[in-house]
Amino acid sequence: MSFQAGVLNQISGIRHGFSTLGAALPANLFFCSQIHSGEVVQASTTLPSGIIRGDAVLTHSSRPIAVVTADCLPLLISSEDGSWVAAVHGGWKGLHGGIIANVLQHFASKGITPQQLRVAIGPSIKPCCYEVSADFIDTLSATQDPLWPAAQAPWSREQPAPLLPPQIPPPQPTQADSLWFDLSRYAVHLLHAAGISDEQIEISELCTYCSTPALASYRRRGHRGEAKAFQYSWIGRT
């Protein structure tokens, strides 16, 4: 089973999917050896997957590309004419390290402006299940706090309710001063800063931790002793 985004379905000449566990994947899928960096690479048409280090892949070839996640954000991006597409692995370290600005610079080098892009953010861990420490927030705020008004910071002191009815109970707080981080909102702030509007972005409400056991979650695996697993978010030109 795979989920799709309407914002990408509107573009002719591309296909995509946010897969669940065990879903069928396109043949000859290309993905990087992900390292939670800001590194962007252009997909090879010949090399096997998992060789080149990086966290975003860009291509205009017909070979489909993907990122591999188990709580982090998968972002699939296409130019509005479908001539170039990208897949981005958006963990907090990669987002903090400039992965979004870097991939948009690659699009710009092909003559594609931010206004000509469409972005689909797939299933990821939501703030209902993403507990962080005050030190984490201090580290983030030290460099990127001007990105958002105080009322729109991508975290909260109270654990939010899940966006969708949970099939798995969200985790209980583990410390008195826990905060709850919204990875999708953080990415949206970065997209806005790069010149992409809300009308160009679609965000899945599925939480990898609590929405369904058909999605892999690194944190849920640690809490519940599940087997190691991932999902693939892919995009390709036809």
Side-chain angles (χ1 to χ4, degrees):
M1 179 180 176
S2 292
F3 301 97
Q4 294 190 325
V7 72
L8 296 180
N9 284 336
Q10 296 169 9
I11 300 173
S12 62
I14 67 168
R15 56 198 179 109
H16 76 285
F18 295 101
S19 72
T20 55
L21 297 176
L25 298 171
N28 199 30
L29 195 63
F30 180 87
F31 51 90
C32 289
S33 172
Q34 296 171 184
I35 52 175
H36 292 272
S37 69
E39 187 70 25
V40 182
V41 301
Q42 190 162 326
S44 170
T45 57
T46 57
L47 287 176
S49 292
I51 300 297
I52 302 175
R53 290 159 63 93
D55 287 274
V57 189
L58 188 83
T59 192
H60 71 147
S61 76
S62 60
R63 185 178 185 182
I65 57 176
V67 287
V68 186
T69 60
D71 277 341
C72 293
L73 289 182
L75 297 93
L76 301 179
I77 306 175
S78 176
S79 58
E80 61 188 2
D81 64 358
S83 59
W84 284 86
V85 295
V88 182
H89 167 231
W92 80 264
K93 289 182 180 178
L95 295 176
H96 190 255
I99 191 76
I100 285 178
N102 293 348
V103 77
L104 296 192
Q105 287 176 2
H106 279 259
F107 275 109
S109 73
K110 315 302 180 186
I112 301 167
T113 67
Q115 293 74 29
Q116 295 173 307
L117 296 174
R118 301 295 179 267
V119 182
I121 300 176
S124 66
I125 194 165
K126 299 297 183 185
C128 53
C129 299
Y130 194 179
E131 182 185 15
V132 297
S133 67
D135 287 344
F136 172 93
I137 297 302
D138 289 344
T139 299
L140 199 68
S141 299
T143 55
Q144 297 194 319
D145 195 47
L147 276 174
W148 46 75
Q152 297 179 19
W155 61 79
S156 59
R157 296 196 174 277
E158 292 188 8
Q159 184 175 10
L163 296 174
L164 298 173
Q167 294 185 26
I168 299 162
Q172 294 296 311
T174 62
Q175 49 195 359
D177 60 346
S178 291
L179 295 103
W180 302 87
F181 193 64
D182 191 335
L183 199 58
S184 296
R185 183 182 289 185
Y186 181 28
V188 168
H189 283 305
L190 295 169
L191 290 166
H192 287 169
I196 294 178
S197 67
D198 285 334
E199 291 72 24
Q200 297 168 254
I201 305 167
E202 183 172 333
I203 307 170
S204 171
E205 293 187 334
L206 286 164
C207 175
T208 47
Y209 190 110
C210 72
S211 290
T212 170
L215 292 169
S217 168
Y218 173 82
R219 289 208 169 198
R220 192 180 72 226
R221 171 162 55 93
H223 292 166
R224 301 171 71 91
E226 298 175 358
K228 188 175 184 178
F230 305 96
Q231 48 258 349
Y232 293 79
S233 299
W234 62 270
I235 188 167
R237 300 180 65 246
T238 57

